[in-house]
Amino acid sequence: MPDPCALVVFGVTGDLAKKKLIPAVYDLGNRGLLPPGFVLLGFARRDWGDGDFEQLARKAAEQHARTEFREDVWRRLADSIKFLPGSFDDDNAFDELDRTLVELEASHGIAGNVAFYLSIPPAAFPVVLKQLARTGMADGSERSGWRRVVVEKPFGHDLDSSVELNRLVDSVFTSHDVFRIDHYLGKETVQNLLALRFANTLFEPVWNSHYVDSVQITMAEDVGIEGRAGFYDSAGAARDVLQNHLLQLLALTAMEEPVAFDAEALRTEKHKVLGAISLPADLELSTVRGQYEQGWLAGERVKGYLDEEGVPPGSTTETYAAVRLGVETRRWAGVPFYLRTGKRLPRRVTEIAVIFKRAPHLPFAKTDTVELGNNQLVVRVQPDEGVTMRFGSKAPGSAMEIREVSMDFLYGSAFTESSPEAYERLLLDVLLGDKTLFPDHEEVEASWQVIDPLEEFWQGRIPQRYRAGEWGPRAAEDMLARDGRTWRRP
Amino acid sequence: MTVTLWDTTGGDVVKALAAERRAGAMVATGLALTLVVTVDEKNVAEAERAATVAAQAHPCRLVVVIRRQLDTANRLDAEVQVGGRLGPIEAVVMRMYGRLTLHPESVVLPLLASDCPVVTWWHGAPPDEIATDPLGVLADRRVTDSSLAPDPIAALRQRAADFSPGDTDLAWTRTTPWRSLLASAFDALEPRPISATVASENGNPSAALLAGWLGRRLGVESRLEESGGPGVTEVEVLLGDHGEDAESGCSIRLSRPDGRLATFSRSGQPDRQLPLLRRQLGDLLAEELRRLDPDAVYAESLEQATALEGLSSRPPRRTHRWQDPAASQTTS
């Protein structure tokens, strides 16, 4: 159970707050994981009172909460839902916020502990952080409890801006109190990857270049840019997804065993592996950018990227990116890591596929094994969280024919309690002060060091077209075909 | 368990299937392939029965696509079954209306089992070009049935013209028992074959393919003869030594006048009777699902039967040239 505390959310009227944060707070409350002294304080430029915000929060919880909506739970929580109107450059509003937090110590017993959640565009970071510094709210030593800040991606748009942002945040709060959210790390299966690797004896012996042929990490989305043209067009798939989620998944897949399952040990190993990532020599042949055109997806007609509202004509922003990376360590030398992400692909799916080498010798007739592919271990991050193993098995019948079969471990059916939402888990960790599942600024900067040369190379180039509803551009298939491989169909 | 979704979306079908799998995880283990079936409304029950039989030997995910009328609003109805009336398989039966009938792949693609081979089966008239059809492109094997065409021999020619490795024809599958019996006879053949004749009811594509196979394998001329059926009724191969003519030689004959029991005769040896049943659709399909690599013997028999060359050397994968009729209307 966390200490008594307040959660202050800036930008509380945004999508993220409504769809993820507020429902996560409700779910935590419903599961009895919020301390008795807890306040959710919304801050936004709205002419609202506590009641208006409570209405919005209630609706958000009813619509998006994972657990059942219960009136009595809500009524208890509703008392602790406060709202403060104000814009980010309004000194009075922030003075008022500081006063309110002090008052809440007496009225709600929050004991001076406050977590600030910055659910706002990166451009607004400096002004809010300066306000927090000016009022002294950010400094726990001046107040009676702890002060933490939660930052959402994007963590900058290249190495320089990210270093700048990190310096700014760390100068206002101490770096120990900064929580960078990569919601992928809060997912059950991502944590299960660590369990799979480090709690078992079955996989560790083959988890290296002697047995692994290649690794494919895929994050596919069926949705388009969903009205986020302004942000998306200036970022693109590589900055939006590759830099954070995919490189984090790569790090967890490739890292060495941490000496303990704690924040410090995990960060050390992830940082080592991120630093060991190498880019291919020929970026032209080993990277692909794509942009979707109109097509049919899941039974519906969808627009092309250039026809989406708010996208400038002739935009060369990529909505698909695929890249081959190497990890220059003894364990992984020579094993390609293929990363891909895209929008408007046939299905929403994120998975890590470890593809093993073929058996060095097959004592069967050649025709018996034509349908046998490489053994695979697939960690499905979402949806249908679980693990699949693929291996060869004899097809029933009088002839000796070997074909591939898969063995499935499905999370939902194996555990009675459904897996908590990523935000629920991460929010709880923030309140508990556990940084195990949060990337620190060194990791973020190491990731940008991978992405920056790619972005530089891609600058001014026109992305390949792919039809909405297919698995990315043809060039991505060709890229793997050149290496004698094919993409898995997730 | 069965879930029926009326006027739904592809995304919801994917979710329903996932939920059903979760609920009934016992039945759906070890998927070997995805079987996509396109069929007309009136033949749905027959196709489902056959797929159920085939699925007992080859655990698969069954995706049935039924295209209803084109001139109406877009609409998708779906039935998701895991261990329901179709037995221990996962099945999604979908009915499509409107422009969606032109883009069934947009719904089928997200439903394919991960990284498993895909077999598309047209139970009924296939499109003229199956290798470039949206549901053909995503498949490793494409199964048609020429015997269902109004003119089966013309259908066979079309299949040859459009052939790409991975295609197969249930008319060819029907010849398997004939071929294995005949092949075993030739294993111990002293006099060389000089000609072959296949008798069947008129326009039987299996007979044409069987004749093609005999012609190619034995390197002799093979002829088709008309009989009263049912199906293929007799195969006769005349044998003789070099330089001798047919009159002097002996022959082997496999005849099956009633569609059930065959008589194997060879000059100088007593006749033998063997069961040679006309098989059910499900058994034929199950046989085709056993191998998922291209069938080269079919390709050469089809070449021989239709006098077309180089079928097996065609590229195994073709691409679907995608066109949106609605889009071309608005731009022109």
Side-chain angles (χ1 to χ4, degrees):
Chain A
M1 179 85 65
D3 304 328
C5 60
L7 175 67
V8 178
V9 181
F10 296 101
V12 80
T13 52
D15 254 13
L16 177 78
K18 279 191 279 194
K19 285 190 182 148
K20 298 287 183 193
L21 285 181
I22 296 169
V25 169
Y26 171 82
D27 287 329
L28 288 173
N30 198 6
R31 291 165 68 207
L33 293 172
L34 289 179
F38 174 81
V39 173
L40 171 67
L41 203 158
F43 187 99
R45 196 166 48 198
R46 290 287 154 91
D47 199 8
W48 277 359
D50 295 346
D52 299 306
F53 178 51
E54 196 240 304
Q55 282 305 310
L56 172 132
R58 185 196 172 100
K59 231 172 76 190
E62 278 177 347
Q63 278 177 3
H64 300 290
R66 180 178 63 87
T67 55
E68 191 194 349
F69 188 82
R70 296 212 310 253
E71 195 61 45
D72 53 328
V73 174
W74 185 255
R75 224 171 305 134
R76 212 167 50 83
L77 201 59
D79 286 342
S80 323
I81 293 184
K82 306 284 171 199
F83 185 80
L84 253 179
S87 62
F88 298 150
D89 51 9
D90 181 356
D91 286 359
N92 291 333
F94 278 82
D95 292 341
E96 178 66 30
L97 177 62
D98 193 21
R99 263 197 305 279
T100 309
L101 290 174
V102 174
E103 284 166 23
L104 287 174
E105 281 185 51
S107 65
H108 286 73
I110 61 163
N113 298 320
V114 183
F116 298 96
Y117 200 116
L118 304 189
S119 180
I120 52 176
F125 275 26
V127 53
V128 170
L129 287 168
K130 272 170 200 149
Q131 291 283 18
L132 293 176
R134 181 187 61 80
T135 52
M137 272 190 281
D139 191 349
S141 58
E142 286 185 28
R143 301 292 187 269
S144 49
W146 48 254
R147 298 290 154 122
R148 295 176 188 143
V149 66
V150 187
V151 191
E152 277 276 346
K153 66 163 197 177
F155 312 120
H157 59 269
D158 58 13
L159 181 60
D160 291 346
S161 61
S162 132
V163 169
E164 179 63 29
L165 181 69
N166 287 332
R167 198 165 41 217
L168 180 70
V169 181
D170 289 358
S171 68
V172 175
F173 291 83
T174 59
S175 74
H176 184 73
D177 293 322
V178 181
F179 290 73
R180 290 171 185 81
I181 282 210
D182 186 326
H183 67 266
Y184 262 65
L185 301 187
K187 291 190 181 292
E188 278 292 317
T189 8
V190 172
Q191 299 164 53
N192 190 34
L193 177 63
L194 300 176
L196 193 79
R197 287 193 58 195
F198 303 124
N200 297 304
T201 47
L202 195 52
F203 306 112
E204 175 57 27
V206 295
W207 211 262
N208 55 55
S209 62
H210 295 240
Y211 295 96
V212 174
D213 169 79
S214 57
V215 177
Q216 294 186 9
I217 304 180
T218 302
M219 176 178 159
E221 293 176 282
D222 54 354
V223 295
I225 52 167
E226 305 205 293
R228 289 198 305 151
F231 161 72
Y232 198 88
D233 196 66
S234 65
R239 288 191 178 102
D240 190 36
V241 174
L242 198 58
Q243 183 269 334
N244 38 62
H245 305 323
L246 290 189
L247 286 181
Q248 282 290 325
L249 292 181
L250 182 151
L252 292 171
T253 308
M255 72 181 190
E256 297 297 318
E257 181 173 25
V259 291
F261 190 66
D262 64 30
E264 201 45 53
L266 218 62
R267 208 157 47 231
T268 308
E269 296 306 333
K270 280 201 289 177
H271 190 228
K272 264 163 60 186
V273 94
L274 286 168
I277 291 177
S278 68
L279 287 168
D282 189 343
L283 293 179
E284 176 85 56
L285 290 177
S286 309
T287 69
V288 173
R289 295 165 85 214
Q291 192 183 70
Y292 62 85
E293 291 179 311
Q294 62 130 346
W296 279 72
L297 196 151
E300 277 158 7
R301 219 182 125 81
V302 297
K303 280 185 205 168
Y305 178 72
L306 295 176
D307 301 326
E308 301 268 13
E309 204 179 314
V311 171
S315 165
T316 58
T317 302
E318 83 277 2
T319 62
Y320 177 99
V323 58
R324 186 185 77 202
L325 300 175
V327 175
E328 304 306 321
T329 63
R330 185 174 184 128
R331 184 187 287 269
W332 294 115
V335 177
F337 283 71
Y338 298 102
L339 274 54
R340 64 175 161 168
T341 179
K343 292 199 172 286
R344 289 288 189 219
L345 300 181
R347 200 155 85 79
R348 180 177 82 106
V349 59
T350 302
E351 61 168 39
I352 302 162
V354 178
I355 295 159
F356 292 93
K357 289 182 174 164
R358 284 174 177 260
H361 170 72
L362 292 167
F364 307 99
K366 215 169 180 176
T367 51
D368 295 345
T369 53
V370 281
E371 286 155 38
L372 178 66
N374 299 52
N375 294 163
Q376 299 180 358
L377 180 95
V378 183
V379 178
R380 294 191 308 275
V381 177
Q382 71 167 16
D384 309 332
E385 291 80 349
V387 180
T388 301
M389 281 219 273
R390 283 180 72 76
F391 49 88
S393 172
K394 183 182 169 302
S398 53
M400 186 65 189
E401 274 180 36
I402 296 169
R403 68 160 49 157
E404 292 199 307
V405 294
S406 46
M407 205 159 75
D408 251 1
F409 161 66
L410 259 177
Y411 246 97
S413 56
F415 292 94
T416 44
E417 193 184 12
S418 59
S419 316
E421 259 291 321
Y423 273 95
E424 207 176 320
R425 168 68 198 260
L426 294 176
L427 208 52
L428 184 64
D429 282 356
V430 169
L431 302 183
L432 287 167
D434 179 353
K435 290 191 73 179
T436 310
L437 300 177
F438 298 82
D440 82 333
H441 69 96
E442 284 186 322
E443 290 171 49
V444 171
E445 285 161 20
S447 302
W448 280 118
Q449 272 165 351
V450 177
I451 302 299
D452 278 358
L454 293 176
E455 291 288 353
E456 198 179 317
F457 173 76
W458 286 336
Q459 186 72 38
R461 287 170 180 251
I462 295 168
Q464 314 268 344
R465 310 283 160 188
Y466 65 99
R467 204 176 70 226
E470 50 173 22
W471 283 110
R474 173 56 56 89
E477 298 293 327
D478 298 343
M479 173 181 133
L480 260 72
R482 275 194 291 274
D483 295 352
R485 300 186 175 91
T486 52
W487 288 106
R488 229 180 86 82
R489 187 182 57 231
Chain B
M1 277 165 287
T2 302
V3 177
T4 309
L5 304 161
W6 301 105
D7 200 0
T8 184
T9 64
D12 284 343
V13 178
V14 173
K15 282 191 197 129
L17 178 63
E20 286 303 298
R21 291 195 76 198
R22 224 167 257 269
M26 308 291 291
V27 283
T29 50
L31 286 178
L33 58 105
T34 306
L35 176 63
V36 179
V37 185
T38 65
V39 62
D40 284 339
E41 191 65 71
K42 65 175 190 296
N43 295 320
V44 172
E46 192 181 35
E48 282 181 353
R49 246 192 330 272
T52 309
V53 172
Q56 279 162 3
H58 311 283
C60 65
R61 177 175 294 172
L62 177 63
V63 178
V64 181
V65 174
I66 304 151
R67 297 187 227 200
R68 303 293 293 264
Q69 67 271 42
L70 176 64
D71 312 326
T72 177
N74 288 337
R75 180 184 157 117
L76 172 69
D77 294 338
E79 197 189 325
V80 178
Q81 305 178 12
V82 176
R85 67 181 165 83
L86 296 182
I89 55 170
E90 309 175 6
V92 182
V93 182
M94 293 183 291
R95 292 178 167 79
M96 301 179 188
Y97 301 80
R99 293 249 158 237
L100 176 56
T101 55
L102 303 173
H103 306 284
E105 80 284 3
S106 75
V107 187
V108 170
L109 209 49
L111 287 171
L112 301 179
S114 300
D115 222 32
C116 286
V118 179
V119 178
T120 300
W121 171 37
W122 286 269
H123 183 50
D128 278 352
E129 293 191 4
I130 58 169
T132 55
D133 181 80
L135 291 178
V137 169
L138 51 81
D140 300 278
R141 298 213 64 192
R142 293 163 287 271
V143 181
T144 53
D145 190 349
S146 301
S147 69
L148 297 176
D151 181 350
I153 300 302
L156 217 52
R157 275 198 293 273
Q158 178 56 37
R159 291 280 57 85
D162 178 49
F163 181 86
S164 118
D167 289 1
T168 195
D169 193 333
L170 292 182
W172 167 249
T173 322
R174 289 190 183 91
T175 65
T176 309
W178 288 88
R179 288 187 290 122
S180 42
L181 282 178
L182 288 165
S184 64
F186 289 118
D187 281 347
L189 207 58
E190 254 310 288
R192 291 175 59 91
I194 35 187
S195 77
T197 315
V198 178
S200 73
E201 57 193 341
N202 191 22
N204 183 300
S206 299
L209 288 166
L210 196 51
W213 176 73
L214 284 165
R216 179 63 63 102
R217 284 279 136 151
L218 302 177
V220 299
E221 197 167 317
S222 57
R223 290 185 306 116
L224 286 170
E225 225 169 55
E226 202 179 320
S227 75
V232 178
T233 50
E234 189 177 278
V235 174
E236 186 176 31
V237 179
L238 294 180
L239 311 164
D241 290 323
H242 265 303
E244 288 182 59
D245 63 1
E247 302 301 319
S248 68
C250 45
S251 72
I252 60 171
R253 194 168 70 231
L254 187 59
S255 70
R256 184 192 66 177
D258 62 355
R260 276 199 290 274
L261 200 63
T263 308
F264 184 81
S265 338
R266 183 164 181 185
S267 320
Q269 287 183 13
D271 285 0
R272 276 178 292 155
Q273 298 220 304
L274 310 147
L276 186 54
L277 270 179
R278 304 192 76 192
R279 290 177 297 165
Q280 301 290 313
L281 196 54
D283 298 328
L284 298 173
L285 192 60
E287 185 190 319
E288 277 313 320
L289 297 187
R290 229 179 50 219
R291 295 217 75 125
L292 296 168
D293 49 330
D295 187 342
V297 184
Y298 164 65
E300 57 182 51
S301 305
L302 185 62
E303 272 181 8
Q304 185 83 8
T306 57
L308 272 172
E309 293 288 306
L311 296 193
S312 340
S313 55
R314 291 190 189 167
R317 277 207 176 269
R318 294 200 219 161
T319 44
H320 165 48
R321 247 181 296 119
W322 191 82
Q323 269 186 328
D324 192 341
S328 55
Q329 273 163 20
T330 50
T331 50
S332 60

